[in-house]
Amino acid sequence: MQTFLKAAGIPLGLALAVGGGPAYAADSGAAAGQAQLDARLRYEYVDQSVAGRDTGSALTLRARLGYASPAWRDWDAYAEFEGVWALNDALDYNSTRNGAVNRGVIADPQGEELNQAWVRYRGLPDTELRYGRQRLILDNARFVGNVGWRQNEQTVTGLSLLNQSLPGMRLHYAYLDSAHTVVFSRRDLQAHLANLQQAWFEDKLRLSAYAYLLDFAAASALDSQTLGLRLASRAATLALVLEYARQSDYADSSNGGTVPDADYYLLEIGADLSGWNLTAGYEVLGGDVDPMTAPFSTPLATLHKFQGWADVFLSTPDAGVEDGYLKLAGKLGGTRLVAVYHRFLANAGGLTYGDEFDLQVSRVLMPGLSGLIKLAHYEADGFGVDTQRIWAQLDYRF
């Protein structure tokens, strides 16, 4: 690791001073303070069939250093610094902020920031209050997530409340005043997020009800009200997920020229087969051929996790998108393999969008160090352009 830091002209001491730890590492409740370090070295290559656009390649290093304070009278705090540096020529890829528009897009710009900084109070029974800049993930991150795949994750600023007073119940409410994106930009908003989960039968059956109200200061077209239900169950070797949500007008959304009016559906069935897991799913983000109706949007989601790793559908097409997919995951020895196939269609208008094939191979190399190789291949057939992405990375956590 020191060799890569020197090659980039980054002093080791500086790299260790800008970074952070694993998700909610500060929740350990240690009597003394605790520091966490993680670093991720990644090579990403992208080839998009766009006239005049060259391939993009990025060798980047992400480092985080976090510190969790000791508890004092039901109070504690956490701070986390993060830095992302390009180890190759920063103009070899379009980071969305470096002006290299003739290169393929890899949304990992260089930057340094205070990634998290919050205080927490746990003096109320089965309740914690957290205020400040924090990582926030609700359910499976489809509507609210941290975009953990990108080198700079998404965090939010505001007040969050978590209550677990009743057996199997988990009530999460958050009021947000800003979101800090993966490209080191800030989006001001007023958001009320409520998520109530209830689990039964030793968590084999879980029901979530949620309401997400988003009012962006400078993006009124994305203002929306989303109400939904999610049911997840597991029995022996079978798993089932059903979800429905309705998105409608809220705050200033009608001032953007279109009005949110769309549905979300998810049906997913999984089965464990001799150490392997096979999952079939169908996800729908509704749309309309009516230009005055906005499609279903998920502006706070962990988008890379859904609808293919090639990142073709980071925003929902006007006609919506239907994603039918098959996923096979398992281990060969100590190596984990994941293969996914997607078939994309328009939700309205009958258009076929394209197909995508994804593959990932990962392995723990030694304690604290893991490696990953990942590929995504999107074949356009009516939407977007042919896109290929390749990643190779090392993760270290201490």
Side-chain angles (χ1 to χ4, degrees):
M1 183 63 70
Q2 296 185 34
T3 302
F4 288 112
L5 295 174
K6 290 178 181 178
I10 303 167
L12 180 59
L14 174 61
L16 297 182
V18 285
Y24 295 108
D27 290 357
S28 61
Q34 182 179 2
Q36 295 94 22
L37 166 70
D38 81 61
R40 182 161 68 191
L41 179 68
R42 172 187 289 167
Y43 173 77
E44 181 171 349
Y45 170 87
V46 58
D47 184 3
Q48 297 167 304
S49 299
V50 177
R53 180 180 296 176
D54 294 331
T55 61
S57 60
L59 179 62
T60 56
L61 172 67
R62 192 281 312 283
R64 292 182 187 152
L65 182 66
Y67 177 75
S69 76
W72 179 79
R73 294 187 179 181
D74 301 317
W75 292 86
D76 66 344
Y78 184 67
E80 180 178 274
F81 291 87
E82 179 179 67
V84 179
W85 301 275
L87 306 187
N88 62 334
D89 189 334
L91 297 180
D92 283 349
Y93 68 103
N94 179 4
S95 73
T96 74
R97 301 195 68 180
N98 60 359
V101 295
N102 64 324
R103 292 283 188 169
V105 176
I106 299 173
D108 286 329
Q110 298 190 90
E112 301 171 7
E113 69 174 9
L114 183 64
N115 191 48
Q116 295 192 72
W118 48 258
V119 295
R120 178 172 57 182
Y121 178 67
R122 293 195 283 191
L124 301 174
D126 304 307
T127 302
E128 68 174 59
L129 292 166
R130 192 181 309 223
Y131 177 75
R133 184 163 171 176
Q134 55 195 280
R135 178 181 295 122
L136 184 60
I137 303 171
L138 299 179
D139 282 329
N140 63 340
R142 189 62 182 99
F143 300 113
V144 181
N146 69 321
V147 199
W149 173 250
R150 298 265 46 111
Q151 294 287 58
N152 174 40
E153 70 175 339
Q154 175 175 271
T155 55
V156 295
T157 300
L159 174 68
S160 64
L161 176 149
L162 176 63
N163 178 271
Q164 302 179 84
S165 298
L166 301 177
M169 186 202 78
R170 183 181 176 91
L171 172 63
H172 209 144
Y173 167 78
Y175 170 78
L176 310 181
D177 63 23
S178 60
H180 308 271
T181 74
V182 299
V183 294
F184 292 98
S185 64
R186 170 179 171 141
R187 304 169 74 185
D188 293 325
L189 76 160
Q190 293 183 1
H192 297 275
L193 310 176
N195 184 292
L196 175 62
Q197 298 180 14
Q198 181 62 52
W200 298 275
F201 310 116
E202 298 179 341
D203 208 21
K204 291 184 174 62
L205 179 65
R206 179 178 292 270
L207 177 66
S208 300
Y210 51 84
Y212 304 140
L213 281 60
L214 307 181
D215 181 4
F216 288 88
S220 59
L222 292 177
D223 293 354
S224 64
Q225 171 182 270
T226 303
L227 307 177
L229 291 171
R230 176 183 174 87
L231 178 68
S233 66
R234 173 171 287 277
T237 60
L238 298 177
L240 173 68
V241 178
L242 298 171
E243 188 167 0
Y244 170 76
R246 176 69 180 171
Q247 194 167 87
S248 57
D249 184 28
Y250 181 73
D252 300 321
S253 57
S254 58
N255 294 338
T258 60
V259 177
D261 183 19
D263 297 305
Y264 172 88
Y265 303 92
L266 173 66
L267 168 61
E268 188 175 88
I269 301 173
D272 294 327
L273 306 168
S274 302
W276 291 79
N277 177 265
L278 179 64
T279 301
Y282 203 78
E283 184 186 49
V284 178
L285 278 72
D288 202 312
V289 293
D290 182 355
M292 300 306 295
T293 301
F296 198 101
S297 65
T298 57
L300 296 182
T302 296
L303 294 169
H304 179 82
K305 183 180 177 181
F306 304 92
Q307 297 184 341
W309 300 336
D311 289 342
V312 174
F313 296 94
L314 293 182
S315 59
T316 309
D318 289 343
V321 58
E322 300 183 5
D323 175 16
Y325 56 91
L326 285 172
K327 176 181 177 182
L328 180 65
K331 281 190 174 183
L332 287 176
T335 301
R336 177 169 172 79
L337 303 174
V338 180
V340 192
Y341 167 73
H342 296 266
R343 176 65 166 171
F344 299 108
L345 306 170
N347 178 240
L351 185 66
T352 298
Y353 285 157
D355 301 88
E356 182 166 327
F357 303 87
D358 299 328
L359 179 65
Q360 178 177 297
V361 181
S362 59
R363 186 181 180 92
V364 175
L365 304 175
M366 63 178 65
L369 181 67
S370 61
L372 175 148
I373 297 174
K374 184 172 172 177
L375 305 95
H377 177 77
Y378 175 75
E379 296 182 355
D381 184 21
F383 181 84
V385 298
D386 292 348
T387 302
Q388 292 79 41
R389 292 185 182 271
I390 302 172
W391 300 267
Q393 73 178 40
L394 293 172
D395 283 276
Y396 175 75
R397 292 191 176 188
F398 174 78

